[in-house]
Amino acid sequence: MCGRYALTVTADEVLEFFSIALIEDFPARFNIAPTQPILIVVEAEGGGVPGSNQPKRRAMLARWGFMPGWVKDPREFPLLVNARSETAIEKASFRAAMRHRRVLIPASGFYEWHRPEKGSKQKSQAYWVRPKHGKIVAFAGLLETWASADGSEVDTACILTAPANPSFAPIHDRMPVVIPPEEFSRWLDCKTQEPRDIEDLMVSPPEDIFEAIPVSDRVNKVANTSPDIQDRVQPSADVAQPKPPKTKAARRESDGGQMDLF
């Protein structure tokens, strides 16, 4: 799962990366937690139409914690910060949003914890997982506007996750789905692109996109929001470390010379 992430780039960098016309300035956020407001990017009404000078996309805020529209009492419903990409199309909680309200979530990286097996005396090890190339990535997300009985509304969102790629698997078995810039339009296009048309985007990130840096457990506390929570520490010797991706030659050798298509 993805339970904490960060957005530490400038508003101008978000504007340029996502092709947004206007965006209000915002502070760097080093420890974004569930239930907090998060920045999301949605397709703009009329944007991208030939001959139009309107922006293709716009930014807005939503609460991190997805709430389906049919929920009556949020106190009796679990906080959905993530949605599994393998089942989101069919699952009742996410089905409508997958069809009508796909979004992008700007991020500078995310945090994950390697947790020891039950009964072990080992401590959990936190990692700051950041993109190797560039300062920003786009997580795949879903948006839903929840309305209470008194008519008040709140926009809510979650992050889609996929099985971890081989290099990240020693830390955790899940990681966020990342949408590459060349696929932004297709992911956000809920008018012509049905969920089955974008299933190929809901996959594990490439092995070379992230690097995992061991950090202290200060990130566990929401109140700790300073940049130093991303400082590298010496991990426990017993904690499995992420392995670099194999080269094609190494994969062929380990597979007994069997060729593959990747």
Side-chain angles (χ1 to χ4, degrees), residues 130-180:
R130 66 184 183 187
K132 290 182 180 179
H133 311 291
K135 300 179 180 180
I136 187 170
V137 292
F139 294 155
L142 300 175
L143 171 69
E144 186 67 84
T145 300
W146 181 80
S148 66
D150 63 8
S152 60
E153 296 183 340
V154 58
D155 294 317
T156 69
C158 66
I159 295 171
L160 282 160
T161 66
N165 60 39
S167 61
F168 189 73
I171 294 177
H172 199 274
D173 62 353
R174 307 286 300 177
M175 60 193 309
V177 173
V178 175
I179 305 296

mmCIF file of all heavy atoms in Angstrom, residues 130-180:
data_model
loop_
_atom_site.group_PDB
_atom_site.id
_atom_site.type_symbol
_atom_site.label_atom_id
_atom_site.label_comp_id
_atom_site.label_asym_id
_atom_site.label_seq_id
_atom_site.Cartn_x
_atom_site.Cartn_y
_atom_site.Cartn_z
ATOM 1 N N ARG A 130 12.038 7.550 -3.991
ATOM 2 C CA ARG A 130 11.970 8.723 -4.855
ATOM 3 C C ARG A 130 12.355 8.357 -6.286
ATOM 4 O O ARG A 130 13.066 7.362 -6.520
ATOM 5 C CB ARG A 130 12.912 9.813 -4.343
ATOM 6 C CG ARG A 130 14.393 9.441 -4.424
ATOM 7 C CD ARG A 130 15.278 10.508 -3.808
ATOM 8 N NE ARG A 130 16.697 10.171 -3.959
ATOM 9 C CZ ARG A 130 17.691 10.850 -3.397
ATOM 10 N NH1 ARG A 130 17.414 11.889 -2.611
ATOM 11 N NH2 ARG A 130 18.954 10.496 -3.593
ATOM 12 N N PRO A 131 11.892 9.141 -7.261
ATOM 13 C CA PRO A 131 12.257 8.863 -8.651
ATOM 14 C C PRO A 131 13.746 9.102 -8.882
ATOM 15 O O PRO A 131 14.314 10.076 -8.390
ATOM 16 C CB PRO A 131 11.394 9.848 -9.454
ATOM 17 C CG PRO A 131 10.991 10.896 -8.486
ATOM 18 C CD PRO A 131 10.944 10.255 -7.143
ATOM 19 N N LYS A 132 14.372 8.215 -9.625
ATOM 20 C CA LYS A 132 15.793 8.360 -9.919
ATOM 21 C C LYS A 132 16.058 9.515 -10.876
ATOM 22 O O LYS A 132 17.074 10.195 -10.788
ATOM 23 C CB LYS A 132 16.336 7.067 -10.547
ATOM 24 C CG LYS A 132 16.438 5.886 -9.613
ATOM 25 C CD LYS A 132 17.030 4.696 -10.351
ATOM 26 C CE LYS A 132 17.163 3.486 -9.465
ATOM 27 N NZ LYS A 132 17.718 2.319 -10.203
ATOM 28 N N HIS A 133 15.144 9.717 -11.816
ATOM 29 C CA HIS A 133 15.350 10.732 -12.849
ATOM 30 C C HIS A 133 14.206 11.732 -12.775
ATOM 31 O O HIS A 133 13.046 11.387 -12.975
ATOM 32 C CB HIS A 133 15.400 10.084 -14.225
ATOM 33 C CG HIS A 133 16.329 8.909 -14.302
ATOM 34 N ND1 HIS A 133 17.699 9.033 -14.217
ATOM 35 C CD2 HIS A 133 16.090 7.574 -14.416
ATOM 36 C CE1 HIS A 133 18.258 7.844 -14.296
ATOM 37 N NE2 HIS A 133 17.298 6.936 -14.416
ATOM 38 N N GLY A 134 14.525 12.971 -12.493
ATOM 39 C CA GLY A 134 13.485 13.977 -12.370
ATOM 40 C C GLY A 134 13.019 14.143 -10.933
ATOM 41 O O GLY A 134 13.398 13.378 -10.037
ATOM 42 N N LYS A 135 12.185 15.132 -10.716
ATOM 43 C CA LYS A 135 11.753 15.483 -9.375
ATOM 44 C C LYS A 135 10.315 15.111 -9.073
ATOM 45 O O LYS A 135 9.858 15.242 -7.940
ATOM 46 C CB LYS A 135 11.895 16.994 -9.169
ATOM 47 C CG LYS A 135 13.316 17.532 -9.316
ATOM 48 C CD LYS A 135 13.321 19.040 -9.114
ATOM 49 C CE LYS A 135 14.722 19.617 -9.265
ATOM 50 N NZ LYS A 135 14.721 21.087 -9.079
ATOM 51 N N ILE A 136 9.567 14.639 -10.079
ATOM 52 C CA ILE A 136 8.139 14.477 -9.881
ATOM 53 C C ILE A 136 7.624 13.301 -10.708
ATOM 54 O O ILE A 136 8.146 13.013 -11.791
ATOM 55 C CB ILE A 136 7.410 15.786 -10.267
ATOM 56 C CG1 ILE A 136 5.919 15.725 -9.923
ATOM 57 C CG2 ILE A 136 7.609 16.115 -11.725
ATOM 58 C CD1 ILE A 136 5.216 17.063 -10.068
ATOM 59 N N VAL A 137 6.624 12.624 -10.177
ATOM 60 C CA VAL A 137 5.914 11.556 -10.888
ATOM 61 C C VAL A 137 4.420 11.774 -10.704
ATOM 62 O O VAL A 137 3.988 12.572 -9.859
ATOM 63 C CB VAL A 137 6.303 10.151 -10.384
ATOM 64 C CG1 VAL A 137 7.743 9.824 -10.731
ATOM 65 C CG2 VAL A 137 6.056 10.028 -8.885
ATOM 66 N N ALA A 138 3.629 11.059 -11.487
ATOM 67 C CA ALA A 138 2.178 11.142 -11.396
ATOM 68 C C ALA A 138 1.618 9.788 -10.986
ATOM 69 O O ALA A 138 1.720 8.822 -11.744
ATOM 70 C CB ALA A 138 1.590 11.585 -12.734
ATOM 71 N N PHE A 139 1.051 9.705 -9.782
ATOM 72 C CA PHE A 139 0.367 8.493 -9.373
ATOM 73 C C PHE A 139 -1.015 8.448 -10.025
ATOM 74 O O PHE A 139 -1.663 9.479 -10.209
ATOM 75 C CB PHE A 139 0.182 8.452 -7.850
ATOM 76 C CG PHE A 139 1.455 8.358 -7.057
ATOM 77 C CD1 PHE A 139 1.505 8.818 -5.745
ATOM 78 C CD2 PHE A 139 2.606 7.807 -7.604
ATOM 79 C CE1 PHE A 139 2.672 8.730 -5.004
ATOM 80 C CE2 PHE A 139 3.777 7.716 -6.868
ATOM 81 C CZ PHE A 139 3.808 8.184 -5.565
ATOM 82 N N ALA A 140 -1.461 7.255 -10.367
ATOM 83 C CA ALA A 140 -2.827 7.086 -10.847
ATOM 84 C C ALA A 140 -3.764 7.183 -9.653
ATOM 85 O O ALA A 140 -3.534 6.575 -8.605
ATOM 86 C CB ALA A 140 -2.984 5.728 -11.525
ATOM 87 N N GLY A 141 -4.842 7.964 -9.814
ATOM 88 C CA GLY A 141 -5.774 8.139 -8.715
ATOM 89 C C GLY A 141 -7.221 8.128 -9.166
ATOM 90 O O GLY A 141 -7.518 8.170 -10.367
ATOM 91 N N LEU A 142 -8.114 8.051 -8.195
ATOM 92 C CA LEU A 142 -9.551 8.086 -8.439
ATOM 93 C C LEU A 142 -10.176 9.159 -7.558
ATOM 94 O O LEU A 142 -9.720 9.392 -6.430
ATOM 95 C CB LEU A 142 -10.195 6.733 -8.131
ATOM 96 C CG LEU A 142 -9.699 5.530 -8.938
ATOM 97 C CD1 LEU A 142 -10.354 4.250 -8.421
ATOM 98 C CD2 LEU A 142 -9.969 5.717 -10.425
ATOM 99 N N LEU A 143 -11.227 9.786 -8.074
ATOM 100 C CA LEU A 143 -11.899 10.890 -7.382
ATOM 101 C C LEU A 143 -13.376 10.573 -7.203
ATOM 102 O O LEU A 143 -14.014 10.010 -8.100
ATOM 103 C CB LEU A 143 -11.747 12.179 -8.199
ATOM 104 C CG LEU A 143 -12.546 13.404 -7.756
ATOM 105 C CD1 LEU A 143 -12.011 13.946 -6.430
ATOM 106 C CD2 LEU A 143 -12.480 14.494 -8.836
ATOM 107 N N GLU A 144 -13.909 10.930 -6.040
ATOM 108 C CA GLU A 144 -15.346 10.811 -5.795
ATOM 109 C C GLU A 144 -15.786 11.971 -4.911
ATOM 110 O O GLU A 144 -15.105 12.310 -3.936
ATOM 111 C CB GLU A 144 -15.678 9.485 -5.103
ATOM 112 C CG GLU A 144 -17.158 9.212 -4.946
ATOM 113 C CD GLU A 144 -17.852 8.996 -6.285
ATOM 114 O OE1 GLU A 144 -17.825 7.858 -6.791
ATOM 115 O OE2 GLU A 144 -18.414 9.976 -6.807
ATOM 116 N N THR A 145 -16.899 12.591 -5.259
ATOM 117 C CA THR A 145 -17.471 13.639 -4.428
ATOM 118 C C THR A 145 -18.560 13.031 -3.562
ATOM 119 O O THR A 145 -19.555 12.510 -4.072
ATOM 120 C CB THR A 145 -18.051 14.775 -5.289
ATOM 121 O OG1 THR A 145 -17.016 15.332 -6.095
ATOM 122 C CG2 THR A 145 -18.630 15.877 -4.411
ATOM 123 N N TRP A 146 -18.340 13.093 -2.247
ATOM 124 C CA TRP A 146 -19.297 12.515 -1.307
ATOM 125 C C TRP A 146 -20.186 13.615 -0.756
ATOM 126 O O TRP A 146 -19.713 14.686 -0.365
ATOM 127 C CB TRP A 146 -18.576 11.802 -0.168
ATOM 128 C CG TRP A 146 -19.515 11.165 0.806
ATOM 129 C CD1 TRP A 146 -20.165 9.974 0.669
ATOM 130 C CD2 TRP A 146 -19.928 11.706 2.071
ATOM 131 N NE1 TRP A 146 -20.956 9.729 1.769
ATOM 132 C CE2 TRP A 146 -20.836 10.769 2.637
ATOM 133 C CE3 TRP A 146 -19.620 12.876 2.762
ATOM 134 C CZ2 TRP A 146 -21.427 10.989 3.876
ATOM 135 C CZ3 TRP A 146 -20.219 13.097 3.997
ATOM 136 C CH2 TRP A 146 -21.104 12.150 4.542
ATOM 137 N N ALA A 147 -21.488 13.386 -0.744
ATOM 138 C CA ALA A 147 -22.455 14.359 -0.239
ATOM 139 C C ALA A 147 -23.099 13.838 1.029
ATOM 140 O O ALA A 147 -23.574 12.688 1.072
ATOM 141 C CB ALA A 147 -23.523 14.639 -1.293
ATOM 142 N N SER A 148 -23.129 14.660 2.057
ATOM 143 C CA SER A 148 -23.749 14.271 3.323
ATOM 144 C C SER A 148 -25.247 14.547 3.269
ATOM 145 O O SER A 148 -25.761 15.164 2.324
ATOM 146 C CB SER A 148 -23.123 15.048 4.481
ATOM 147 O OG SER A 148 -23.424 16.430 4.369
ATOM 148 N N ALA A 149 -25.957 14.116 4.297
ATOM 149 C CA ALA A 149 -27.411 14.289 4.342
ATOM 150 C C ALA A 149 -27.820 15.756 4.363
ATOM 151 O O ALA A 149 -28.904 16.109 3.894
ATOM 152 C CB ALA A 149 -27.970 13.568 5.569
ATOM 153 N N ASP A 150 -26.939 16.621 4.890
ATOM 154 C CA ASP A 150 -27.283 18.044 4.944
ATOM 155 C C ASP A 150 -26.932 18.793 3.661
ATOM 156 O O ASP A 150 -27.070 20.015 3.584
ATOM 157 C CB ASP A 150 -26.608 18.718 6.145
ATOM 158 C CG ASP A 150 -25.080 18.696 6.049
ATOM 159 O OD1 ASP A 150 -24.539 18.295 4.991
ATOM 160 O OD2 ASP A 150 -24.424 19.073 7.033
ATOM 161 N N GLY A 151 -26.432 18.057 2.650
ATOM 162 C CA GLY A 151 -26.140 18.673 1.364
ATOM 163 C C GLY A 151 -24.707 19.136 1.183
ATOM 164 O O GLY A 151 -24.314 19.523 0.078
ATOM 165 N N SER A 152 -23.902 19.113 2.237
ATOM 166 C CA SER A 152 -22.501 19.500 2.094
ATOM 167 C C SER A 152 -21.740 18.434 1.322
ATOM 168 O O SER A 152 -22.082 17.244 1.389
ATOM 169 C CB SER A 152 -21.862 19.711 3.468
ATOM 170 O OG SER A 152 -21.928 18.519 4.237
ATOM 171 N N GLU A 153 -20.720 18.856 0.588
ATOM 172 C CA GLU A 153 -19.965 17.938 -0.255
ATOM 173 C C GLU A 153 -18.478 18.007 0.053
ATOM 174 O O GLU A 153 -17.963 19.051 0.471
ATOM 175 C CB GLU A 153 -20.187 18.264 -1.736
ATOM 176 C CG GLU A 153 -21.623 18.070 -2.215
ATOM 177 C CD GLU A 153 -21.758 18.335 -3.703
ATOM 178 O OE1 GLU A 153 -20.871 19.020 -4.269
ATOM 179 O OE2 GLU A 153 -22.744 17.854 -4.299
ATOM 180 N N VAL A 154 -17.799 16.893 -0.154
ATOM 181 C CA VAL A 154 -16.355 16.848 -0.006
ATOM 182 C C VAL A 154 -15.782 15.975 -1.112
ATOM 183 O O VAL A 154 -16.291 14.884 -1.383
ATOM 184 C CB VAL A 154 -15.937 16.322 1.395
ATOM 185 C CG1 VAL A 154 -16.510 14.936 1.645
ATOM 186 C CG2 VAL A 154 -14.424 16.310 1.529
ATOM 187 N N ASP A 155 -14.754 16.476 -1.784
ATOM 188 C CA ASP A 155 -14.061 15.704 -2.814
ATOM 189 C C ASP A 155 -13.051 14.789 -2.140
ATOM 190 O O ASP A 155 -12.257 15.229 -1.313
ATOM 191 C CB ASP A 155 -13.353 16.638 -3.794
ATOM 192 C CG ASP A 155 -14.318 17.469 -4.611
ATOM 193 O OD1 ASP A 155 -15.332 16.921 -5.073
ATOM 194 O OD2 ASP A 155 -14.069 18.685 -4.789
ATOM 195 N N THR A 156 -13.081 13.517 -2.490
ATOM 196 C CA THR A 156 -12.204 12.522 -1.876
ATOM 197 C C THR A 156 -11.435 11.772 -2.961
ATOM 198 O O THR A 156 -11.909 11.644 -4.089
ATOM 199 C CB THR A 156 -12.998 11.525 -1.019
ATOM 200 O OG1 THR A 156 -13.808 10.698 -1.872
ATOM 201 C CG2 THR A 156 -13.898 12.249 -0.031
ATOM 202 N N ALA A 157 -10.258 11.281 -2.629
ATOM 203 C CA ALA A 157 -9.420 10.618 -3.630
ATOM 204 C C ALA A 157 -8.628 9.484 -3.007
ATOM 205 O O ALA A 157 -8.430 9.423 -1.786
ATOM 206 C CB ALA A 157 -8.465 11.628 -4.271
ATOM 207 N N CYS A 158 -8.156 8.583 -3.875
ATOM 208 C CA CYS A 158 -7.284 7.493 -3.444
ATOM 209 C C CYS A 158 -6.236 7.249 -4.516
ATOM 210 O O CYS A 158 -6.347 7.733 -5.652
ATOM 211 C CB CYS A 158 -8.073 6.218 -3.166
ATOM 212 S SG CYS A 158 -8.856 5.499 -4.629
ATOM 213 N N ILE A 159 -5.202 6.499 -4.153
ATOM 214 C CA ILE A 159 -4.099 6.156 -5.041
ATOM 215 C C ILE A 159 -4.233 4.701 -5.459
ATOM 216 O O ILE A 159 -4.448 3.825 -4.610
ATOM 217 C CB ILE A 159 -2.744 6.388 -4.345
ATOM 218 C CG1 ILE A 159 -2.543 7.876 -4.043
ATOM 219 C CG2 ILE A 159 -1.588 5.862 -5.203
ATOM 220 C CD1 ILE A 159 -1.330 8.153 -3.170
ATOM 221 N N LEU A 160 -4.101 4.438 -6.750
ATOM 222 C CA LEU A 160 -4.120 3.057 -7.239
ATOM 223 C C LEU A 160 -2.756 2.413 -7.005
ATOM 224 O O LEU A 160 -1.710 3.049 -7.202
ATOM 225 C CB LEU A 160 -4.453 3.029 -8.722
ATOM 226 C CG LEU A 160 -5.943 3.213 -9.066
ATOM 227 C CD1 LEU A 160 -6.102 3.649 -10.505
ATOM 228 C CD2 LEU A 160 -6.702 1.917 -8.826
ATOM 229 N N THR A 161 -2.768 1.161 -6.592
ATOM 230 C CA THR A 161 -1.520 0.432 -6.382
ATOM 231 C C THR A 161 -1.490 -0.826 -7.236
ATOM 232 O O THR A 161 -2.520 -1.331 -7.672
ATOM 233 C CB THR A 161 -1.337 0.053 -4.908
ATOM 234 O OG1 THR A 161 -2.338 -0.899 -4.530
ATOM 235 C CG2 THR A 161 -1.409 1.272 -4.005
ATOM 236 N N ALA A 162 -0.287 -1.329 -7.445
ATOM 237 C CA ALA A 162 -0.063 -2.551 -8.230
ATOM 238 C C ALA A 162 0.935 -3.427 -7.477
ATOM 239 O O ALA A 162 1.600 -2.969 -6.541
ATOM 240 C CB ALA A 162 0.473 -2.198 -9.611
ATOM 241 N N PRO A 163 1.076 -4.696 -7.872
ATOM 242 C CA PRO A 163 2.098 -5.536 -7.258
ATOM 243 C C PRO A 163 3.482 -4.908 -7.428
ATOM 244 O O PRO A 163 3.781 -4.292 -8.458
ATOM 245 C CB PRO A 163 1.986 -6.847 -8.033
ATOM 246 C CG PRO A 163 0.584 -6.868 -8.547
ATOM 247 C CD PRO A 163 0.251 -5.443 -8.860
ATOM 248 N N ALA A 164 4.309 -5.035 -6.432
ATOM 249 C CA ALA A 164 5.650 -4.458 -6.487
ATOM 250 C C ALA A 164 6.461 -5.088 -7.608
ATOM 251 O O ALA A 164 6.343 -6.278 -7.895
ATOM 252 C CB ALA A 164 6.368 -4.665 -5.157
ATOM 253 N N ASN A 165 7.299 -4.273 -8.249
ATOM 254 C CA ASN A 165 8.216 -4.839 -9.234
ATOM 255 C C ASN A 165 9.327 -5.592 -8.499
ATOM 256 O O ASN A 165 9.492 -5.437 -7.283
ATOM 257 C CB ASN A 165 8.754 -3.753 -10.165
ATOM 258 C CG ASN A 165 9.522 -2.658 -9.438
ATOM 259 O OD1 ASN A 165 10.261 -2.914 -8.496
ATOM 260 N ND2 ASN A 165 9.355 -1.421 -9.885
ATOM 261 N N PRO A 166 10.093 -6.433 -9.186
ATOM 262 C CA PRO A 166 11.080 -7.284 -8.506
ATOM 263 C C PRO A 166 12.098 -6.531 -7.661
ATOM 264 O O PRO A 166 12.501 -7.027 -6.597
ATOM 265 C CB PRO A 166 11.757 -8.022 -9.665
ATOM 266 C CG PRO A 166 10.701 -8.094 -10.718
ATOM 267 C CD PRO A 166 9.966 -6.792 -10.620
ATOM 268 N N SER A 167 12.513 -5.343 -8.086
ATOM 269 C CA SER A 167 13.528 -4.629 -7.321
ATOM 270 C C SER A 167 12.976 -4.039 -6.026
ATOM 271 O O SER A 167 13.729 -3.804 -5.077
ATOM 272 C CB SER A 167 14.163 -3.522 -8.173
ATOM 273 O OG SER A 167 13.194 -2.571 -8.570
ATOM 274 N N PHE A 168 11.662 -3.794 -5.978
ATOM 275 C CA PHE A 168 11.046 -3.205 -4.790
ATOM 276 C C PHE A 168 10.444 -4.254 -3.864
ATOM 277 O O PHE A 168 10.213 -3.985 -2.677
ATOM 278 C CB PHE A 168 9.957 -2.211 -5.224
ATOM 279 C CG PHE A 168 9.400 -1.379 -4.096
ATOM 280 C CD1 PHE A 168 10.145 -0.363 -3.531
ATOM 281 C CD2 PHE A 168 8.131 -1.631 -3.592
ATOM 282 C CE1 PHE A 168 9.638 0.404 -2.485
ATOM 283 C CE2 PHE A 168 7.611 -0.876 -2.550
ATOM 284 C CZ PHE A 168 8.371 0.156 -1.998
ATOM 285 N N ALA A 169 10.206 -5.446 -4.375
ATOM 286 C CA ALA A 169 9.523 -6.495 -3.618
ATOM 287 C C ALA A 169 10.171 -6.829 -2.276
ATOM 288 O O ALA A 169 9.458 -7.199 -1.335
ATOM 289 C CB ALA A 169 9.400 -7.753 -4.479
ATOM 290 N N PRO A 170 11.513 -6.753 -2.104
ATOM 291 C CA PRO A 170 12.066 -7.044 -0.782
ATOM 292 C C PRO A 170 11.580 -6.102 0.314
ATOM 293 O O PRO A 170 11.642 -6.442 1.492
ATOM 294 C CB PRO A 170 13.584 -6.889 -1.000
ATOM 295 C CG PRO A 170 13.781 -7.175 -2.445
ATOM 296 C CD PRO A 170 12.581 -6.587 -3.126
ATOM 297 N N ILE A 171 11.104 -4.911 -0.070
ATOM 298 C CA ILE A 171 10.605 -3.954 0.912
ATOM 299 C C ILE A 171 9.118 -4.162 1.173
ATOM 300 O O ILE A 171 8.671 -4.225 2.306
ATOM 301 C CB ILE A 171 10.858 -2.508 0.434
ATOM 302 C CG1 ILE A 171 12.363 -2.237 0.385
ATOM 303 C CG2 ILE A 171 10.174 -1.500 1.349
ATOM 304 C CD1 ILE A 171 12.722 -0.869 -0.146
ATOM 305 N N HIS A 172 8.325 -4.256 0.104
ATOM 306 C CA HIS A 172 6.875 -4.373 0.247
ATOM 307 C C HIS A 172 6.311 -5.022 -1.007
ATOM 308 O O HIS A 172 6.937 -4.984 -2.073
ATOM 309 C CB HIS A 172 6.250 -2.986 0.461
ATOM 310 C CG HIS A 172 4.881 -3.019 1.060
ATOM 311 N ND1 HIS A 172 3.741 -3.167 0.306
ATOM 312 C CD2 HIS A 172 4.472 -2.918 2.352
ATOM 313 C CE1 HIS A 172 2.678 -3.154 1.098
ATOM 314 N NE2 HIS A 172 3.090 -3.012 2.347
ATOM 315 N N ASP A 173 5.117 -5.604 -0.878
ATOM 316 C CA ASP A 173 4.548 -6.310 -2.025
ATOM 317 C C ASP A 173 3.645 -5.439 -2.900
ATOM 318 O O ASP A 173 3.122 -5.898 -3.903
ATOM 319 C CB ASP A 173 3.779 -7.554 -1.570
ATOM 320 C CG ASP A 173 2.597 -7.220 -0.660
ATOM 321 O OD1 ASP A 173 2.454 -6.036 -0.265
ATOM 322 O OD2 ASP A 173 1.817 -8.131 -0.335
ATOM 323 N N ARG A 174 3.443 -4.143 -2.517
ATOM 324 C CA ARG A 174 2.627 -3.236 -3.309
ATOM 325 C C ARG A 174 3.362 -1.913 -3.503
ATOM 326 O O ARG A 174 4.207 -1.534 -2.688
ATOM 327 C CB ARG A 174 1.292 -2.936 -2.620
ATOM 328 C CG ARG A 174 0.471 -4.114 -2.190
ATOM 329 C CD ARG A 174 -0.189 -4.830 -3.323
ATOM 330 N NE ARG A 174 -1.100 -4.005 -4.111
ATOM 331 C CZ ARG A 174 -1.725 -4.452 -5.190
ATOM 332 N NH1 ARG A 174 -1.549 -5.716 -5.596
ATOM 333 N NH2 ARG A 174 -2.536 -3.672 -5.873
ATOM 334 N N MET A 175 3.001 -1.195 -4.571
ATOM 335 C CA MET A 175 3.547 0.140 -4.802
ATOM 336 C C MET A 175 2.576 0.918 -5.695
ATOM 337 O O MET A 175 1.726 0.315 -6.366
ATOM 338 C CB MET A 175 4.942 0.064 -5.431
ATOM 339 C CG MET A 175 5.030 -0.629 -6.758
ATOM 340 S SD MET A 175 6.757 -1.022 -7.258
ATOM 341 C CE MET A 175 7.604 0.544 -7.055
ATOM 342 N N PRO A 176 2.669 2.251 -5.709
ATOM 343 C CA PRO A 176 1.724 3.042 -6.491
ATOM 344 C C PRO A 176 1.870 2.815 -7.995
ATOM 345 O O PRO A 176 2.968 2.556 -8.502
ATOM 346 C CB PRO A 176 2.087 4.487 -6.134
ATOM 347 C CG PRO A 176 2.808 4.398 -4.832
ATOM 348 C CD PRO A 176 3.550 3.099 -4.871
ATOM 349 N N VAL A 177 0.752 2.912 -8.698
ATOM 350 C CA VAL A 177 0.757 2.913 -10.162
ATOM 351 C C VAL A 177 1.221 4.287 -10.625
ATOM 352 O O VAL A 177 0.735 5.318 -10.137
ATOM 353 C CB VAL A 177 -0.649 2.618 -10.721
ATOM 354 C CG1 VAL A 177 -0.675 2.799 -12.237
ATOM 355 C CG2 VAL A 177 -1.079 1.213 -10.341
ATOM 356 N N VAL A 178 2.169 4.320 -11.549
ATOM 357 C CA VAL A 178 2.707 5.575 -12.080
ATOM 358 C C VAL A 178 2.276 5.728 -13.541
ATOM 359 O O VAL A 178 2.485 4.821 -14.349
ATOM 360 C CB VAL A 178 4.243 5.611 -11.966
ATOM 361 C CG1 VAL A 178 4.803 6.862 -12.644
ATOM 362 C CG2 VAL A 178 4.673 5.565 -10.499
ATOM 363 N N ILE A 179 1.684 6.869 -13.869
ATOM 364 C CA ILE A 179 1.270 7.159 -15.238
ATOM 365 C C ILE A 179 2.347 8.023 -15.903
ATOM 366 O O ILE A 179 2.646 9.113 -15.409
ATOM 367 C CB ILE A 179 -0.085 7.897 -15.280
ATOM 368 C CG1 ILE A 179 -1.154 7.108 -14.520
ATOM 369 C CG2 ILE A 179 -0.511 8.145 -16.724
ATOM 370 C CD1 ILE A 179 -1.477 5.755 -15.103
ATOM 371 N N PRO A 180 2.951 7.573 -17.004
ATOM 372 C CA PRO A 180 3.973 8.378 -17.672
ATOM 373 C C PRO A 180 3.341 9.575 -18.376
ATOM 374 O O PRO A 180 2.168 9.535 -18.762
ATOM 375 C CB PRO A 180 4.590 7.398 -18.673
ATOM 376 C CG PRO A 180 3.522 6.378 -18.916
ATOM 377 C CD PRO A 180 2.751 6.259 -17.640
#
